[in-house]
Amino acid sequence: AGRLTRAGVPVAGLHGRDPAHAAQGGAAAGAVGTWGDLPEMFDAADVVIISVRDARIREVVEGLVAPTRLRSHQILLHTAGNYAAAQLLEPARKLVRGIGTMHPLASLTNVPRGSAPLSLAGAAFAIDGDAAAKTMAEKVVRLMGGRPLFIDPAILSTDHAAAVMAAFYVTTLTDVARN
């Protein structure tokens, strides 16, 4: 969320399970941090981005579908790199305008709490989904200064594995060579 707001993308809020993390994340992003029940502002959002651990995405989608919290004008995106949008977001397809994947091919971990998030300018993003979702994901990626890569959903997990090897194995090899 912080990367989006710093890139000029309006972010209404950041929602989480833990009150302290939600408040801290919202403050760092310059947005409202909420927890518990989804706030009313969620209904007005044009884009909902699910950015949780891969194993939790289905649970989050079910939590949005069962009480029908999603709206027909919304685009639903997830940031997991190992799964195509249809695999994880299918239960929401009939409720929203589009479903898609917007996966940054960059490491987003190990940012110390309280520090500004790293920029995603120049980072590649794997994008898949239906036409409406791909259009919106491309717009968001370009606003952050990223490079959209439209990926065939059939090879998304292979693409993700290749990206992991290219990024982390090169770093590891460089570190080993220096030592």
Side-chain angles (χ1 to χ4, degrees):
R3 289 174 176 89
L4 292 169
T5 56
R6 283 168 183 74
V9 177
V11 175
L14 181 135
H15 189 77
R17 292 182 298 167
D18 177 83
H21 288 144
Q24 184 178 17
V32 175
T34 63
W35 58 92
D37 293 335
L38 287 172
E40 286 184 26
M41 70 177 162
F42 178 85
D43 298 341
D46 293 324
V47 181
V48 175
I49 301 173
I50 299 173
S51 187
V52 297
R53 296 190 186 281
D54 293 5
R56 293 211 53 241
I57 294 173
R58 285 190 180 101
E59 173 190 340
V60 172
V61 171
E62 289 169 9
L64 296 172
V65 169
T68 318
R69 285 307 310 261
L70 296 168
R71 302 292 178 248
S72 62
H73 71 275
Q74 293 175 322
I75 300 290
L76 183 63
L77 301 171
H78 74 78
T79 60
N82 216 14
Y83 301 97
Q87 288 177 277
L88 298 176
L89 306 180
E90 187 61 36
R93 186 182 298 273
K94 293 180 181 175
L95 301 174
V96 296
R97 190 165 56 111
I99 61 171
T101 303
M102 184 181 75
H103 174 65
L105 298 174
S107 175
L108 303 179
T109 59
N110 299 327
V111 176
R113 290 193 190 275
S115 65
L118 303 172
S119 171
L120 288 174
F125 283 75
I127 294 174
D128 98 288
D130 54 35
K134 288 195 289 191
T135 298
M136 183 59 76
E138 179 181 15
K139 180 179 179 180
V140 171
V141 167
R142 289 196 187 281
L143 283 169
M144 288 189 290
R147 295 179 295 118
L149 301 173
F150 296 96
I151 304 294
D152 178 348
I155 65 162
L156 199 58
S157 62
T158 304
D159 178 72
H160 184 260
V164 168
M165 286 191 284
F168 298 114
Y169 293 168
V170 169
T171 302
T172 301
L173 287 173
T174 302
D175 189 52
V176 169
R178 283 193 327 205
N179 293 327

